[in-house]
Amino acid sequence: MKAGFLWFWEKVGRFFNGLVPTVCLLCGRGLRGELVCPDCELGLPHLSLTEGSCHQCAIPLPQESSGDYCGHCLAKPPAFSCTVVPFRYQYPVDYLIHHFKYRRQLAAGRALGRALAQCVLHTYDEQERCLPELIIPVPLHWTRRWLRGFNQTDLLGRQVATELKLPLASRACRRTRHTPAQKGLSRAKRQENLRQVFSMTAAGNRIVQGKRIALLDDVVTTTATTRELSHLLIRQGAKEVHVWALARTPDVKPINTPRDQEATTASRSVLRSKRASSFHIS
């Protein structure tokens, strides 16, 4: 009965969303309920295993690489089994994530959450794997959550859990101490920064027992956060941990090849021209 009501209100919500005019978050084109127009969606920096990414942490591999795993995962295997990520952390995905996290543009979070849910369904269907039984978002320390006003991974988790009809456990684990921002730190510094910073709650200890867990984060850079948390979850009785995230960076300092710079510049100029043309239409 409860599932029927949820299905009904989901359909009602989508119907009314279709009646409300919206604009593309990237180019400003008028839409009918969508958040990103088809042209901008096609231009997003999609990440695919067929393009050469590590099968465990999803880091883009060099073109000359013949293996399925990166050197870091081979040298120090993480506790998580796989990583599902729809995008590279490049423009305009980095723009959307930044506006979601730091400018409270919740519509960007909804668009990104839907994209992640679609990527998860496609990936698991293609690989004939069973979906995890529970989603756990990466926790934020209460001080940072208070300053920001929300935990972005919690909001993403709600969106993805609704789309995939999976349970969400936002309070299964917690961050026990405040740490400096991870941005700009080396891999070693990040791992040291996060050592023993997470713990399970009493409720979390009960619900993870014997379950496949989807650990949800916004951006995966060095895997320091996901390694620490997945190790904790496995140690506390989880059967398996899969990492889901919006975007993957090549490393702490993204490789800025001339080809990457040219693609980014071209993408930005196209979006500028689209914005200009859409705003001149009365």
Side-chain angles (χ1 to χ4, degrees), residues 89-105:
Y89 190 66
Q90 294 174 355
Y91 188 85
V93 168
D94 56 353
Y95 168 88
L96 290 173
I97 293 175
H98 178 85
H99 277 64
F100 171 46
K101 288 177 66 172
Y102 303 113
R103 298 193 180 183
R104 301 187 182 186
Q105 192 178 61

Side-chain angles (χ1 to χ4, degrees), residues 6-267:
L6 290 175
W7 176 87
F8 172 76
W9 286 113
E10 181 182 349
K11 293 292 183 182
V12 170
R14 288 183 179 178
F15 172 75
F16 281 107
N17 284 339
L19 298 178
V20 179
T22 56
V23 295
C24 175
L25 294 170
L26 294 173
C27 72
R29 178 187 299 176
L31 300 171
R32 289 290 300 274
E34 300 89 352
L35 297 171
V36 178
C37 73
D39 289 344
C40 288
E41 190 171 350
L42 284 174
L44 295 176
H46 293 273
L47 180 66
S48 171
L49 285 176
T50 59
E51 296 173 359
S53 301
C54 175
H55 285 199
Q56 193 156 14
C57 75
I59 191 170
L61 298 173
Q63 290 185 351
E64 62 274 12
S65 176
S66 59
D68 294 330
Y69 298 90
C70 69
H72 189 52
C73 285
L74 289 173
K76 296 181 178 179
F80 56 83
S81 306
C82 64
T83 302
V84 179
V85 182
F87 304 114
R88 292 173 179 262
Y89 190 66
Q90 294 174 355
Y91 188 85
V93 168
D94 56 353
Y95 168 88
L96 290 173
I97 293 175
H98 178 85
H99 277 64
F100 171 46
K101 288 177 66 172
Y102 303 113
R103 298 193 180 183
R104 301 187 182 186
Q105 192 178 61
L106 302 185
R110 289 198 302 274
L112 292 166
R114 289 174 187 173
L116 176 56
Q118 291 169 2
C119 177
V120 166
L121 285 175
H122 174 75
T123 302
Y124 281 76
D125 182 61
E126 192 176 60
Q127 298 178 1
E128 298 182 346
R129 303 184 67 166
C130 293
L131 284 171
E133 301 157 277
L134 183 68
I135 299 175
I136 296 180
V138 171
L140 202 63
H141 192 263
W142 71 266
T143 55
R144 188 161 294 164
R145 180 169 186 157
W146 178 72
L147 289 171
R148 187 174 295 170
F150 63 94
N151 177 5
Q152 72 278 0
T153 57
D154 190 17
L155 292 185
L156 280 173
R158 295 181 194 179
Q159 178 74 38
V160 174
T162 300
E163 296 280 340
L164 301 181
K165 297 178 175 58
L166 291 174
L168 177 72
S170 298
R171 299 184 179 181
C173 53
R174 58 174 173 252
R175 216 176 186 113
T176 55
R177 58 183 170 85
H178 179 70
T179 55
Q182 295 282 84
K183 190 174 182 179
L185 298 180
S186 66
R187 186 188 299 274
K189 286 290 185 182
R190 285 174 180 244
Q191 290 174 342
E192 181 182 348
N193 199 26
L194 293 172
R195 191 168 291 120
Q196 296 182 340
V197 77
F198 300 108
S199 68
M200 301 295 297
T201 64
N205 278 327
R206 291 193 301 271
I207 62 176
V208 302
Q209 297 298 318
K211 286 190 173 65
R212 288 187 304 274
I213 306 296
L215 182 61
L216 184 65
D217 205 355
D218 52 0
V219 180
V220 176
T221 304
T222 63
T223 70
T225 301
T226 51
R227 280 174 177 264
E228 187 72 19
L229 264 171
S230 60
H231 180 70
L232 173 65
L233 290 167
I234 293 293
R235 194 171 67 236
Q236 296 301 320
K239 180 181 179 181
E240 200 173 357
V241 177
H242 303 180
V243 174
W244 295 353
L246 297 174
R248 184 66 163 96
T249 65
D251 210 328
V252 177
K253 294 182 179 178
I255 301 171
N256 238 347
T257 64
R259 184 177 177 183
D260 291 336
Q261 292 175 351
E262 182 181 344
T264 299
T265 303
S267 177

